[in-house]
Amino acid sequence: MCSIIGYLGDGSAAPILVKGLKRMEYRGYDSVGVATISGNHITLRKGVGKVAEVNNAIKLDMLLGSVGIGHTRWATHGGVTETNAHPHPSSSGEVAIVHNGIIDNFEELKKELQQKGYVFKSETDSEVIANLLQHNFDQTKDVKKSMIQTVSSLKGNYAFVAVFEDGTLTAARFHEPLIIGVGKNGYFISSDVLGFIEHTDEVIYPDNREFIIINLNGIQFFDFDGNPVQHQITKVSKELADVYKGDYAHFTLKEISEQPDTILKAGESTRMELDLTTEFVKHAKNLYLTGSGTSYNAALVAKHIFSKYAKIKIESIISSEVAHSPNNFDQQSILIALSQSGESADVLEAVKIAQKEGAKIISIVNIMTSSLVQSSSISIGLNCGPEIGVAATKSFTAQLSILYKIADKLCGGCIGLDLDKVSTCVTKILSDQTKVQDIARNLKTISDIYVLGRGIHYAIASEASLKLKELTYIHAEGLPGGELKHGPLALMDSNVFVIIINPNDSTYVDTLASAHQIKARGAKIIGISDKPNEVYDYWIEIPEINEALFPLIEIIPIQLLAYYAALEKDTDPDYPRNLAKSVTVK
Ligand code: G6P
């Protein structure tokens, strides 16, 4: 949700931190701040807005010193204000911290510290870490002891980095990501490898319940009881550094445009795991799919193809609902967890619940170093490269490609999966975007869009409406075609646009009938189909393909439409307001 970063080395810390924060902005971007040590003092700058804006205004990267910490925020406790932005100094200013996660017992700790004379300025839960650490340091005058005491008092999920006036850097990890980069000339601590990948590809993954101390003598790892821990350095793929927009105006457009390639590459780096998954799925008693947001919509598509083609019953549960829904997780169950980031707290929680009952966890995930991979027996990699745009695009079609592969294997090729053909169709859709751009102009002043589809296309309608909401802030809703007459028809009038997902398959005739009912009420219709029809006010043509594969291509024009409508509305497609790409809080 937030990104945290720390650096200690020979270089100038502030520009390194600011660059790292820019790369991790997908994790949260409502405010930003940096603190460095110079002349045995902590100096700190922070402000509301994106990294580049704040940096232009207050020159975060001009802070002096070779040790520092930084943060981008996605507000949970306390509004989006400069005071609530991190880093938070302790009341004496001798320690400053950046935090990702939520401290559940912050009110209780804050009261205790206030009684002891520590002053709080922000409304955040995070500030309590700064004063708690300061208090423990005041008592012990020992960094290690003060870290042990601090982590033993904190409840909740957190990763934090702290800097002490003498230039010592510390960090702790409890159910939130934290990665150490070991460079030739310095150490990095970060929520994501992207924070430092251009400096080093040598990393250490601290385990949960560990803290780290870095100073000029080197780096030390400890468990929460203070026992030393040894770690191996591993190398990560330098490809992760490929997070530049190139010639594209936005990451979102770049990522939409990469799909002809990413659809082909999906799962290719983990073929053995894919085959193994097929075997496990074949023999499982109870099968479940889970995910949040777009990943859940991929689960909805999968439910359909597994039952229609492979004749396998699989239940899809929204991750945040797993704790509240009846299920039969047991030792013969498999939970397939879908997640781009592998860090969504709701997904990790769902996994924990299923695991407790003995279920096997198989994940389909993009970030192979994520917490989800660590909790899974088998992980299949989306292999689609970093996805920076908050609204998931290429990761969705990569998830679908993998799920189609599994279903196709399960039924001995009955789907006739031809990803080369899919890729060619996607290229064709992307080759001329003028029509979609024209239609997007009409959405500028619209307040409601409905997306209608039947059968498997309803799952795509749900994903389409999510893209429209995220990117354009227009109220958008997916509708199962047949339900129109049971309520939503009352909403249709000339102010409404309805996108009809209507490829020429077994749903075609019924969906066309719904289109006529809508048209009769004056709403404007955008038809997405391989076949034109006069009922459509606007027709977006998609190529013909094997009927089972339409979902993989029909989402593409809607991703483009949402992107261009966002440009019309002057919203930032890469960083929609109030959202974050990786939601690591419940
Ligand atoms: C957030 C993002 C969505 C994403 C969802 C699940 O809500 O804004 O775009 O679909 O998380 O993310 P995951 O990384 O688990 O797929």
Side-chain angles (χ1 to χ4, degrees):
M1 301 299 340
C2 303
S3 59
I4 58 177
I5 189 164
Y7 171 77
L8 183 151
D10 296 344
S12 181
I16 292 173
L17 297 170
V18 170
K19 219 165 177 194
L21 289 173
K22 270 191 197 153
R23 281 172 169 250
M24 293 195 291
E25 213 167 19
Y26 71 89
R27 300 178 59 85
Y29 38 81
D30 59 40
S31 37
V32 54
V34 169
T36 57
I37 304 288
S38 68
N40 275 344
H41 282 296
I42 296 176
T43 37
L44 194 153
R45 286 181 194 169
K46 53 188 181 177
V48 170
K50 303 244 178 68
V51 179
E53 288 160 21
V54 177
N55 193 41
N56 280 342
I58 57 170
K59 307 283 176 237
L60 301 166
D61 58 359
M62 300 288 273
L63 285 173
L64 299 175
S66 55
V67 183
I69 56 177
H71 188 268
T72 59
R73 180 166 188 247
W74 182 83
T76 57
H77 291 60
V80 180
T81 63
E82 189 188 318
T83 316
N84 288 337
H86 300 218
H88 291 290
S90 62
S91 51
S92 65
E94 291 160 52
V95 171
I97 65 98
V98 287
H99 164 229
N100 171 37
I102 291 178
I103 304 300
D104 292 337
N105 60 340
F106 82 98
E107 278 166 332
E108 181 187 321
L109 292 170
K110 187 171 173 176
K111 246 182 236 150
E112 284 170 23
L113 287 159
Q114 278 169 331
Q115 277 158 12
K116 288 178 179 138
Y118 291 86
V119 178
F120 285 77
K121 295 194 185 108
S122 79
E123 303 155 311
T124 65
D125 54 332
S126 309
E127 193 179 5
V128 81
I129 304 174
N131 276 328
L132 185 62
L133 195 55
Q134 178 75 60
H135 170 67
N136 292 330
F137 187 72
D138 290 344
Q139 303 272 300
T140 60
K141 299 286 175 223
D142 181 285
V143 171
K144 183 179 164 190
K145 282 184 191 149
S146 63
M147 283 297 282
I148 297 172
Q149 288 178 1
T150 301
V151 295
S152 74
S153 304
L154 295 175
K155 293 204 174 97
N157 289 356
Y158 56 84
F160 70 84
V161 189
V163 70
F164 288 71
E165 258 188 348
D166 71 350
T168 305
L169 209 55
T170 64
R173 168 168 189 226
F174 190 64
H175 294 297
E176 291 290 350
L178 195 69
I179 302 167
I180 309 297
V182 184
K184 281 201 178 68
N185 302 313
Y187 293 102
F188 304 82
I189 309 176
S190 177
S191 302
D192 188 324
V193 205
L194 290 179
F196 55 75
I197 189 71
E198 66 191 288
H199 301 285
T200 180
D201 57 353
E202 303 215 319
V203 307
I204 294 173
Y205 295 100
D207 285 329
N208 213 20
R209 293 180 52 81
E210 278 186 19
F211 70 87
I212 298 116
I213 299 178
I214 307 176
N215 53 30
L216 293 177
N217 300 326
I219 186 164
Q220 292 169 288
F221 294 83
F222 302 94
D223 66 20
F224 275 10
D225 298 322
N227 302 309
V229 178
Q230 300 301 326
H231 281 291
Q232 299 286 341
I233 293 179
T234 49
K235 270 198 185 280
V236 290
S237 161
K238 274 271 188 195
E239 274 172 30
L240 285 172
D242 180 25
V243 286
Y244 292 104
K245 281 184 283 206
D247 291 336
Y248 292 96
H250 295 98
F251 283 113
T252 306
L253 184 60
K254 173 178 179 265
E255 287 153 12
I256 291 173
S257 309
E258 283 169 352
Q259 290 176 104
D261 189 40
T262 52
I263 283 171
L264 290 176
K265 283 191 184 149
E268 285 301 294
S269 55
T270 43
R271 276 194 204 184
M272 213 177 77
E273 286 76 2
L274 220 147
D275 292 341
L276 213 59
T277 298
T278 312
E279 279 312 301
F280 278 120
V281 168
K282 213 184 268 174
H283 299 109
K285 193 176 88 188
N286 301 311
L287 274 169
Y288 298 92
L289 279 156
T290 195
S292 304
T294 293
S295 294
Y296 174 68
N297 291 331
L300 283 179
V301 177
K303 177 182 169 158
H304 218 94
I305 49 174
F306 273 58
S307 84
K308 181 163 181 186
Y309 299 104
K311 310 290 176 214
I312 286 180
K313 194 171 159 283
I314 187 158
E315 204 178 319
S316 313
I317 319 179
I318 294 174
S319 294
S320 56
E321 288 293 317
V322 167
H324 313 290
S325 51
N327 55 63
N328 297 318
F329 291 132
D330 63 15
Q331 290 183 347
Q332 287 158 287
S333 304
I334 290 181
L335 175 70
I336 302 181
L338 302 169
S339 177
Q340 187 284 130
S341 61
E343 299 294 351
S344 293
D346 289 330
V347 179
L348 297 176
E349 176 77 6
V351 161
K352 221 195 255 174
I353 293 168
Q355 234 161 11
K356 206 168 151 213
E357 304 303 326
K360 183 185 271 305
I361 310 297
I362 298 179
S363 56
I364 300 181
V365 62
N366 199 26
I367 308 299
M368 295 304 275
T369 50
S370 62
S371 308
L372 181 58
V373 171
Q374 287 162 29
S375 309
S376 309
S377 310
I378 303 174
S379 294
I380 303 169
L382 298 184
N383 205 24
C384 64
E387 189 179 65
I388 305 298
V390 166
T393 53
K394 63 176 177 175
S395 65
F396 178 66
T397 47
Q399 287 169 334
L400 292 193
S401 304
I402 290 170
L403 291 159
Y404 267 92
K405 279 186 189 179
I406 298 171
D408 199 41
K409 273 180 201 282
L410 283 167
C411 68
C414 76
I415 295 179
L417 181 61
D418 180 350
L419 287 178
D420 286 324
K421 177 81 198 287
V422 171
S423 168
T424 310
C425 291
V426 173
T427 305
K428 195 156 176 222
I429 294 169
L430 294 170
S431 66
D432 185 3
Q433 301 176 14
T434 48
K435 185 116 185 230
V436 176
Q437 280 169 295
D438 287 345
I439 300 171
R441 269 177 222 120
N442 295 291
L443 302 184
K444 195 172 174 180
T445 53
I446 287 294
S447 47
D448 301 284
I449 302 178
Y450 296 91
V451 191
L452 187 139
R454 282 178 190 253
I456 199 162
H457 310 299
Y458 170 54
I460 297 295
S462 302
E463 171 57 10
S465 70
L466 182 58
K467 285 311 89 156
L468 288 159
K469 275 180 214 144
E470 290 175 314
L471 294 181
T472 69
Y473 315 157
I474 300 173
H475 163 244
E477 221 177 297
L479 292 177
E483 281 297 286
L484 186 68
K485 55 191 177 296
H486 299 298
L489 205 50
L491 301 168
M492 299 302 153
D493 62 25
S494 56
N495 298 318
V496 165
F497 265 73
V498 184
I499 299 173
I500 308 273
I501 304 182
N502 199 19
N504 189 13
D505 64 6
S506 55
T507 64
Y508 182 77
V509 174
D510 286 346
T511 303
L512 207 57
S514 307
H516 280 286
Q517 290 165 11
I518 292 164
K519 178 96 171 190
R521 272 79 188 176
K524 292 275 179 302
I525 295 185
I526 303 169
I528 300 202
S529 180
D530 47 332
K531 206 173 160 189
N533 193 286
E534 63 198 18
V535 74
Y536 307 137
D537 295 286
Y538 308 93
W539 174 45
I540 301 179
E541 185 178 3
I542 52 171
E544 269 180 50
I545 196 167
N546 160 0
E547 112 160 46
L549 306 180
F550 274 121
L552 275 161
I553 65 168
E554 66 201 19
I555 188 62
I556 311 290
I558 310 179
Q559 293 172 345
L560 284 172
L561 187 63
Y563 169 75
Y564 286 115
L567 299 191
E568 289 298 326
K569 296 202 69 182
D570 218 13
T571 64
D572 184 340
D574 286 344
Y575 302 108
R577 69 181 178 203
N578 305 337
L579 302 179
K581 185 144 191 75
S582 178
V583 184
T584 61
V585 291
K586 280 217 296 179

mmCIF file of all heavy atoms in Angstrom, residues 277-289 302-315 336 406-407 409-411:
data_model
loop_
_atom_site.group_PDB
_atom_site.id
_atom_site.type_symbol
_atom_site.label_atom_id
_atom_site.label_comp_id
_atom_site.label_asym_id
_atom_site.label_seq_id
_atom_site.Cartn_x
_atom_site.Cartn_y
_atom_site.Cartn_z
ATOM 1 N N THR A 277 0.353 -28.802 -11.886
ATOM 2 C CA THR A 277 -0.941 -28.257 -11.445
ATOM 3 C C THR A 277 -2.084 -29.024 -12.102
ATOM 4 O O THR A 277 -3.064 -29.398 -11.447
ATOM 5 C CB THR A 277 -1.030 -26.756 -11.815
ATOM 6 O OG1 THR A 277 0.004 -26.095 -11.114
ATOM 7 C CG2 THR A 277 -2.368 -26.164 -11.456
ATOM 8 N N THR A 278 -1.942 -29.286 -13.380
ATOM 9 C CA THR A 278 -2.995 -30.015 -14.101
ATOM 10 C C THR A 278 -3.235 -31.366 -13.436
ATOM 11 O O THR A 278 -4.371 -31.779 -13.219
ATOM 12 C CB THR A 278 -2.566 -30.215 -15.580
ATOM 13 O OG1 THR A 278 -2.098 -28.962 -16.061
ATOM 14 C CG2 THR A 278 -3.694 -30.705 -16.431
ATOM 15 N N GLU A 279 -2.152 -32.048 -13.078
ATOM 16 C CA GLU A 279 -2.289 -33.353 -12.424
ATOM 17 C C GLU A 279 -2.999 -33.235 -11.083
ATOM 18 O O GLU A 279 -3.914 -33.982 -10.775
ATOM 19 C CB GLU A 279 -0.901 -33.987 -12.205
ATOM 20 C CG GLU A 279 -0.328 -34.663 -13.428
ATOM 21 C CD GLU A 279 -1.330 -35.599 -14.115
ATOM 22 O OE1 GLU A 279 -1.804 -36.542 -13.452
ATOM 23 O OE2 GLU A 279 -1.657 -35.354 -15.290
ATOM 24 N N PHE A 280 -2.584 -32.256 -10.286
ATOM 25 C CA PHE A 280 -3.202 -32.065 -8.962
ATOM 26 C C PHE A 280 -4.682 -31.735 -9.098
ATOM 27 O O PHE A 280 -5.509 -32.251 -8.365
ATOM 28 C CB PHE A 280 -2.482 -30.964 -8.185
ATOM 29 C CG PHE A 280 -1.222 -31.446 -7.510
ATOM 30 C CD1 PHE A 280 0.012 -30.892 -7.804
ATOM 31 C CD2 PHE A 280 -1.280 -32.459 -6.575
ATOM 32 C CE1 PHE A 280 1.170 -31.338 -7.198
ATOM 33 C CE2 PHE A 280 -0.125 -32.921 -5.946
ATOM 34 C CZ PHE A 280 1.104 -32.356 -6.260
ATOM 35 N N VAL A 281 -4.989 -30.847 -10.040
ATOM 36 C CA VAL A 281 -6.387 -30.426 -10.211
ATOM 37 C C VAL A 281 -7.246 -31.630 -10.593
ATOM 38 O O VAL A 281 -8.356 -31.819 -10.100
ATOM 39 C CB VAL A 281 -6.488 -29.304 -11.278
ATOM 40 C CG1 VAL A 281 -7.921 -29.056 -11.696
ATOM 41 C CG2 VAL A 281 -5.853 -28.019 -10.749
ATOM 42 N N LYS A 282 -6.683 -32.491 -11.440
ATOM 43 C CA LYS A 282 -7.409 -33.679 -11.906
ATOM 44 C C LYS A 282 -7.851 -34.539 -10.722
ATOM 45 O O LYS A 282 -8.924 -35.114 -10.728
ATOM 46 C CB LYS A 282 -6.465 -34.476 -12.815
ATOM 47 C CG LYS A 282 -7.174 -35.200 -13.943
ATOM 48 C CD LYS A 282 -6.192 -36.031 -14.737
ATOM 49 C CE LYS A 282 -5.607 -35.289 -15.914
ATOM 50 N NZ LYS A 282 -4.551 -36.018 -16.602
ATOM 51 N N HIS A 283 -7.010 -34.623 -9.703
ATOM 52 C CA HIS A 283 -7.292 -35.556 -8.607
ATOM 53 C C HIS A 283 -7.843 -34.910 -7.343
ATOM 54 O O HIS A 283 -8.095 -35.608 -6.367
ATOM 55 C CB HIS A 283 -6.019 -36.364 -8.294
ATOM 56 C CG HIS A 283 -5.556 -37.171 -9.465
ATOM 57 N ND1 HIS A 283 -4.418 -36.854 -10.176
ATOM 58 C CD2 HIS A 283 -6.120 -38.209 -10.114
ATOM 59 C CE1 HIS A 283 -4.284 -37.700 -11.184
ATOM 60 N NE2 HIS A 283 -5.308 -38.532 -11.163
ATOM 61 N N ALA A 284 -8.049 -33.603 -7.373
ATOM 62 C CA ALA A 284 -8.525 -32.947 -6.145
ATOM 63 C C ALA A 284 -10.004 -33.237 -5.898
ATOM 64 O O ALA A 284 -10.766 -33.418 -6.839
ATOM 65 C CB ALA A 284 -8.317 -31.445 -6.270
ATOM 66 N N LYS A 285 -10.360 -33.251 -4.617
ATOM 67 C CA LYS A 285 -11.778 -33.479 -4.271
ATOM 68 C C LYS A 285 -12.547 -32.155 -4.360
ATOM 69 O O LYS A 285 -13.584 -32.064 -4.979
ATOM 70 C CB LYS A 285 -11.851 -34.056 -2.863
ATOM 71 C CG LYS A 285 -13.238 -34.609 -2.539
ATOM 72 C CD LYS A 285 -13.266 -35.277 -1.178
ATOM 73 C CE LYS A 285 -13.590 -34.216 -0.128
ATOM 74 N NZ LYS A 285 -13.489 -34.620 1.250
ATOM 75 N N ASN A 286 -12.005 -31.135 -3.711
ATOM 76 C CA ASN A 286 -12.661 -29.822 -3.746
ATOM 77 C C ASN A 286 -11.705 -28.810 -4.363
ATOM 78 O O ASN A 286 -10.554 -28.715 -3.951
ATOM 79 C CB ASN A 286 -12.974 -29.332 -2.323
ATOM 80 C CG ASN A 286 -13.865 -30.293 -1.598
ATOM 81 O OD1 ASN A 286 -14.889 -30.718 -2.133
ATOM 82 N ND2 ASN A 286 -13.477 -30.656 -0.382
ATOM 83 N N LEU A 287 -12.225 -28.063 -5.313
ATOM 84 C CA LEU A 287 -11.365 -27.080 -5.993
ATOM 85 C C LEU A 287 -11.898 -25.671 -5.811
ATOM 86 O O LEU A 287 -13.104 -25.437 -6.007
ATOM 87 C CB LEU A 287 -11.365 -27.375 -7.495
ATOM 88 C CG LEU A 287 -10.364 -28.385 -8.003
ATOM 89 C CD1 LEU A 287 -10.690 -28.728 -9.444
ATOM 90 C CD2 LEU A 287 -8.953 -27.809 -7.916
ATOM 91 N N TYR A 288 -10.997 -24.769 -5.455
ATOM 92 C CA TYR A 288 -11.404 -23.376 -5.259
ATOM 93 C C TYR A 288 -10.437 -22.450 -5.991
ATOM 94 O O TYR A 288 -9.245 -22.743 -6.090
ATOM 95 C CB TYR A 288 -11.372 -23.008 -3.771
ATOM 96 C CG TYR A 288 -12.315 -23.814 -2.933
ATOM 97 C CD1 TYR A 288 -11.887 -24.995 -2.328
ATOM 98 C CD2 TYR A 288 -13.632 -23.401 -2.742
ATOM 99 C CE1 TYR A 288 -12.751 -25.752 -1.558
ATOM 100 C CE2 TYR A 288 -14.501 -24.150 -1.969
ATOM 101 C CZ TYR A 288 -14.049 -25.327 -1.376
ATOM 102 O OH TYR A 288 -14.914 -26.058 -0.616
ATOM 103 N N LEU A 289 -10.990 -21.330 -6.430
ATOM 104 C CA LEU A 289 -10.168 -20.259 -7.002
ATOM 105 C C LEU A 289 -10.426 -19.020 -6.178
ATOM 106 O O LEU A 289 -11.572 -18.769 -5.781
ATOM 107 C CB LEU A 289 -10.631 -19.945 -8.420
ATOM 108 C CG LEU A 289 -10.162 -20.832 -9.566
ATOM 109 C CD1 LEU A 289 -11.158 -20.738 -10.703
ATOM 110 C CD2 LEU A 289 -8.789 -20.383 -10.047
ATOM 111 N N ALA A 302 -12.370 -18.489 -15.325
ATOM 112 C CA ALA A 302 -11.839 -19.847 -15.192
ATOM 113 C C ALA A 302 -12.919 -20.824 -14.734
ATOM 114 O O ALA A 302 -13.000 -21.952 -15.220
ATOM 115 C CB ALA A 302 -10.682 -19.844 -14.206
ATOM 116 N N LYS A 303 -13.751 -20.381 -13.816
ATOM 117 C CA LYS A 303 -14.826 -21.234 -13.319
ATOM 118 C C LYS A 303 -15.663 -21.731 -14.509
ATOM 119 O O LYS A 303 -16.024 -22.899 -14.609
ATOM 120 C CB LYS A 303 -15.689 -20.411 -12.355
ATOM 121 C CG LYS A 303 -16.876 -21.140 -11.814
ATOM 122 C CD LYS A 303 -17.672 -20.217 -10.919
ATOM 123 C CE LYS A 303 -18.989 -20.894 -10.610
ATOM 124 N NZ LYS A 303 -19.616 -20.425 -9.428
ATOM 125 N N HIS A 304 -15.926 -20.809 -15.414
ATOM 126 C CA HIS A 304 -16.729 -21.123 -16.582
ATOM 127 C C HIS A 304 -16.024 -22.129 -17.507
ATOM 128 O O HIS A 304 -16.620 -23.122 -17.902
ATOM 129 C CB HIS A 304 -16.983 -19.808 -17.342
ATOM 130 C CG HIS A 304 -18.337 -19.749 -17.907
ATOM 131 N ND1 HIS A 304 -19.392 -19.155 -17.251
ATOM 132 C CD2 HIS A 304 -18.833 -20.240 -19.059
ATOM 133 C CE1 HIS A 304 -20.468 -19.269 -17.990
ATOM 134 N NE2 HIS A 304 -20.159 -19.918 -19.090
ATOM 135 N N ILE A 305 -14.775 -21.845 -17.828
ATOM 136 C CA ILE A 305 -14.100 -22.745 -18.793
ATOM 137 C C ILE A 305 -13.815 -24.116 -18.177
ATOM 138 O O ILE A 305 -13.909 -25.125 -18.863
ATOM 139 C CB ILE A 305 -12.813 -22.139 -19.419
ATOM 140 C CG1 ILE A 305 -11.889 -21.574 -18.367
ATOM 141 C CG2 ILE A 305 -13.132 -21.103 -20.472
ATOM 142 C CD1 ILE A 305 -10.554 -21.114 -18.924
ATOM 143 N N PHE A 306 -13.507 -24.140 -16.881
ATOM 144 C CA PHE A 306 -13.250 -25.438 -16.242
ATOM 145 C C PHE A 306 -14.508 -26.299 -16.286
ATOM 146 O O PHE A 306 -14.452 -27.485 -16.556
ATOM 147 C CB PHE A 306 -12.795 -25.255 -14.779
ATOM 148 C CG PHE A 306 -11.321 -25.047 -14.640
ATOM 149 C CD1 PHE A 306 -10.686 -23.997 -15.289
ATOM 150 C CD2 PHE A 306 -10.530 -25.887 -13.868
ATOM 151 C CE1 PHE A 306 -9.319 -23.785 -15.176
ATOM 152 C CE2 PHE A 306 -9.160 -25.698 -13.743
ATOM 153 C CZ PHE A 306 -8.564 -24.644 -14.396
ATOM 154 N N SER A 307 -15.657 -25.692 -15.996
ATOM 155 C CA SER A 307 -16.850 -26.526 -15.948
ATOM 156 C C SER A 307 -17.375 -26.812 -17.351
ATOM 157 O O SER A 307 -17.774 -27.918 -17.652
ATOM 158 C CB SER A 307 -17.914 -25.925 -15.022
ATOM 159 O OG SER A 307 -18.669 -24.976 -15.707
ATOM 160 N N LYS A 308 -17.336 -25.826 -18.240
ATOM 161 C CA LYS A 308 -17.880 -26.053 -19.583
ATOM 162 C C LYS A 308 -17.035 -27.029 -20.405
ATOM 163 O O LYS A 308 -17.561 -27.924 -21.044
ATOM 164 C CB LYS A 308 -18.005 -24.715 -20.317
ATOM 165 C CG LYS A 308 -18.591 -24.854 -21.714
ATOM 166 C CD LYS A 308 -19.082 -23.553 -22.255
ATOM 167 C CE LYS A 308 -19.669 -23.776 -23.650
ATOM 168 N NZ LYS A 308 -20.044 -22.527 -24.289
ATOM 169 N N TYR A 309 -15.717 -26.853 -20.359
ATOM 170 C CA TYR A 309 -14.877 -27.657 -21.245
ATOM 171 C C TYR A 309 -14.249 -28.854 -20.532
ATOM 172 O O TYR A 309 -14.242 -29.947 -21.064
ATOM 173 C CB TYR A 309 -13.802 -26.786 -21.897
ATOM 174 C CG TYR A 309 -14.418 -25.695 -22.735
ATOM 175 C CD1 TYR A 309 -14.454 -24.377 -22.287
ATOM 176 C CD2 TYR A 309 -15.008 -25.991 -23.958
ATOM 177 C CE1 TYR A 309 -15.051 -23.377 -23.042
ATOM 178 C CE2 TYR A 309 -15.606 -24.999 -24.724
ATOM 179 C CZ TYR A 309 -15.623 -23.693 -24.264
ATOM 180 O OH TYR A 309 -16.224 -22.724 -25.009
ATOM 181 N N ALA A 310 -13.711 -28.634 -19.322
ATOM 182 C CA ALA A 310 -13.034 -29.746 -18.652
ATOM 183 C C ALA A 310 -13.987 -30.534 -17.758
ATOM 184 O O ALA A 310 -13.591 -31.534 -17.169
ATOM 185 C CB ALA A 310 -11.860 -29.207 -17.840
ATOM 186 N N LYS A 311 -15.233 -30.063 -17.663
ATOM 187 C CA LYS A 311 -16.262 -30.720 -16.828
ATOM 188 C C LYS A 311 -15.783 -30.865 -15.384
ATOM 189 O O LYS A 311 -15.985 -31.880 -14.733
ATOM 190 C CB LYS A 311 -16.641 -32.117 -17.375
ATOM 191 C CG LYS A 311 -16.968 -32.150 -18.855
ATOM 192 C CD LYS A 311 -18.275 -31.456 -19.151
ATOM 193 C CE LYS A 311 -18.566 -31.403 -20.630
ATOM 194 N NZ LYS A 311 -19.260 -30.200 -21.071
ATOM 195 N N ILE A 312 -15.087 -29.855 -14.927
ATOM 196 C CA ILE A 312 -14.587 -29.864 -13.551
ATOM 197 C C ILE A 312 -15.247 -28.736 -12.789
ATOM 198 O O ILE A 312 -15.243 -27.584 -13.236
ATOM 199 C CB ILE A 312 -13.053 -29.722 -13.531
ATOM 200 C CG1 ILE A 312 -12.436 -31.046 -13.980
ATOM 201 C CG2 ILE A 312 -12.536 -29.343 -12.153
ATOM 202 C CD1 ILE A 312 -10.948 -31.066 -14.001
ATOM 203 N N LYS A 313 -15.814 -29.073 -11.640
ATOM 204 C CA LYS A 313 -16.497 -28.064 -10.846
ATOM 205 C C LYS A 313 -15.465 -27.347 -9.965
ATOM 206 O O LYS A 313 -14.697 -27.984 -9.251
ATOM 207 C CB LYS A 313 -17.537 -28.745 -9.965
ATOM 208 C CG LYS A 313 -18.516 -27.788 -9.371
ATOM 209 C CD LYS A 313 -19.644 -28.551 -8.701
ATOM 210 C CE LYS A 313 -20.333 -27.670 -7.700
ATOM 211 N NZ LYS A 313 -19.632 -27.483 -6.442
ATOM 212 N N ILE A 314 -15.437 -26.058 -10.077
ATOM 213 C CA ILE A 314 -14.493 -25.281 -9.272
ATOM 214 C C ILE A 314 -15.233 -24.054 -8.762
ATOM 215 O O ILE A 314 -16.009 -23.441 -9.489
ATOM 216 C CB ILE A 314 -13.221 -24.923 -10.109
ATOM 217 C CG1 ILE A 314 -12.151 -24.258 -9.258
ATOM 218 C CG2 ILE A 314 -13.542 -24.069 -11.302
ATOM 219 C CD1 ILE A 314 -10.748 -24.371 -9.857
ATOM 220 N N GLU A 315 -15.015 -23.755 -7.498
ATOM 221 C CA GLU A 315 -15.744 -22.623 -6.922
ATOM 222 C C GLU A 315 -14.840 -21.392 -6.884
ATOM 223 O O GLU A 315 -13.662 -21.512 -6.533
ATOM 224 C CB GLU A 315 -16.174 -22.995 -5.508
ATOM 225 C CG GLU A 315 -17.364 -22.197 -5.043
ATOM 226 C CD GLU A 315 -17.815 -22.617 -3.655
ATOM 227 O OE1 GLU A 315 -17.823 -23.832 -3.363
ATOM 228 O OE2 GLU A 315 -18.120 -21.720 -2.865
ATOM 229 N N ILE A 336 -6.588 -22.442 -5.648
ATOM 230 C CA ILE A 336 -5.735 -21.757 -6.626
ATOM 231 C C ILE A 336 -5.876 -20.260 -6.377
ATOM 232 O O ILE A 336 -6.973 -19.700 -6.498
ATOM 233 C CB ILE A 336 -6.139 -22.099 -8.078
ATOM 234 C CG1 ILE A 336 -6.072 -23.617 -8.296
ATOM 235 C CG2 ILE A 336 -5.232 -21.367 -9.070
ATOM 236 C CD1 ILE A 336 -6.428 -24.077 -9.708
ATOM 237 N N ILE A 406 -4.443 -24.739 -18.568
ATOM 238 C CA ILE A 406 -4.740 -25.835 -17.630
ATOM 239 C C ILE A 406 -6.030 -26.544 -18.058
ATOM 240 O O ILE A 406 -6.084 -27.767 -18.150
ATOM 241 C CB ILE A 406 -4.857 -25.300 -16.180
ATOM 242 C CG1 ILE A 406 -3.527 -24.679 -15.744
ATOM 243 C CG2 ILE A 406 -5.295 -26.397 -15.215
ATOM 244 C CD1 ILE A 406 -3.575 -23.919 -14.429
ATOM 245 N N ALA A 407 -7.065 -25.755 -18.354
ATOM 246 C CA ALA A 407 -8.353 -26.346 -18.734
ATOM 247 C C ALA A 407 -8.210 -27.165 -20.013
ATOM 248 O O ALA A 407 -8.766 -28.263 -20.132
ATOM 249 C CB ALA A 407 -9.394 -25.244 -18.904
ATOM 250 N N LYS A 409 -5.525 -28.667 -21.157
ATOM 251 C CA LYS A 409 -4.798 -29.916 -20.864
ATOM 252 C C LYS A 409 -5.746 -30.915 -20.203
ATOM 253 O O LYS A 409 -5.701 -32.104 -20.472
ATOM 254 C CB LYS A 409 -3.649 -29.641 -19.892
ATOM 255 C CG LYS A 409 -2.348 -29.209 -20.558
ATOM 256 C CD LYS A 409 -1.312 -28.965 -19.462
ATOM 257 C CE LYS A 409 -0.195 -28.075 -19.920
ATOM 258 N NZ LYS A 409 0.803 -28.704 -20.744
ATOM 259 N N LEU A 410 -6.571 -30.391 -19.283
ATOM 260 C CA LEU A 410 -7.478 -31.275 -18.534
ATOM 261 C C LEU A 410 -8.467 -31.994 -19.442
ATOM 262 O O LEU A 410 -8.921 -33.085 -19.132
ATOM 263 C CB LEU A 410 -8.247 -30.466 -17.483
ATOM 264 C CG LEU A 410 -7.460 -30.086 -16.230
ATOM 265 C CD1 LEU A 410 -8.208 -29.041 -15.422
ATOM 266 C CD2 LEU A 410 -7.200 -31.321 -15.372
ATOM 267 N N CYS A 411 -8.833 -31.359 -20.538
ATOM 268 C CA CYS A 411 -9.828 -32.011 -21.409
ATOM 269 C C CYS A 411 -9.191 -32.524 -22.694
ATOM 270 O O CYS A 411 -9.867 -32.677 -23.710
ATOM 271 C CB CYS A 411 -10.997 -31.069 -21.688
ATOM 272 S SG CYS A 411 -10.553 -29.663 -22.715
#
